[in-house]
Amino acid sequence: MNSNEVEIVLYGAQTLCPSCVNLPSSKETFEWLEAAIARKFPEQPFKMTYVDIYQPTGESEKLSFAQRVIDEDMFYPVVVIKEKIVGEGNPRLKTVFAELEKYGYKAM
């Protein structure tokens, strides 16, 4: 069982990504992802952070990555774990879970 808390950062916006019209909003994706991770890795600490790309707050690296999402026209929401992009537009649980397992998370 993992005892180190990993931060999962979801960069998104209130408006839908122009290419993601039929997908859930960034906030809905954030809530869905948080619930799915908690179910897959119960009693293993993780931190979910939401960053609005148009009104970012927080550390300078989050501010600069939010700007990068805009500048590079990434499909958002963008899911980042330890500076690695693990999902863009419509994140896949399998990819997110696999990345967490690299940090010692064990499925229950």
Side-chain angles (χ1 to χ4, degrees):
M1 182 156 336
N2 184 41
S3 61
N4 295 324
E5 182 178 77
V6 170
E7 182 178 24
I8 300 114
V9 184
L10 188 137
Y11 294 86
Q14 288 191 358
T15 57
L16 288 177
C17 165
S19 300
C20 309
V21 175
N22 294 320
L23 297 176
S25 72
S26 295
K27 278 290 199 186
E28 290 169 331
T29 300
F30 177 87
E31 292 166 359
W32 164 77
L33 187 58
E34 185 175 40
I37 293 169
R39 277 192 307 274
K40 181 79 171 185
F41 304 107
E43 299 176 33
Q44 296 171 75
F46 67 94
K47 178 181 178 185
M48 288 286 297
T49 303
Y50 179 83
V51 177
D52 186 310
I53 60 173
Y54 296 112
Q55 299 174 349
T57 58
E59 301 98 17
S60 60
E61 60 270 0
K62 288 184 176 73
L63 300 177
S64 60
F65 192 87
Q67 188 60 50
R68 182 178 158 201
V69 172
I70 295 167
D71 293 345
E72 296 180 15
D73 288 326
M74 292 182 186
F75 296 126
Y76 53 85
V78 177
V79 180
V80 177
I81 298 174
K82 298 226 183 212
E83 300 177 16
K84 180 178 179 187
I85 297 171
V86 295
E88 194 178 334
N90 187 16
R92 304 277 180 239
L93 284 177
K94 186 175 182 179
T95 307
V96 174
F97 292 164
E99 190 65 20
L100 286 170
E101 287 169 353
K102 290 179 185 176
Y103 295 101
Y105 285 77
K106 302 277 185 231
M108 296 290 159

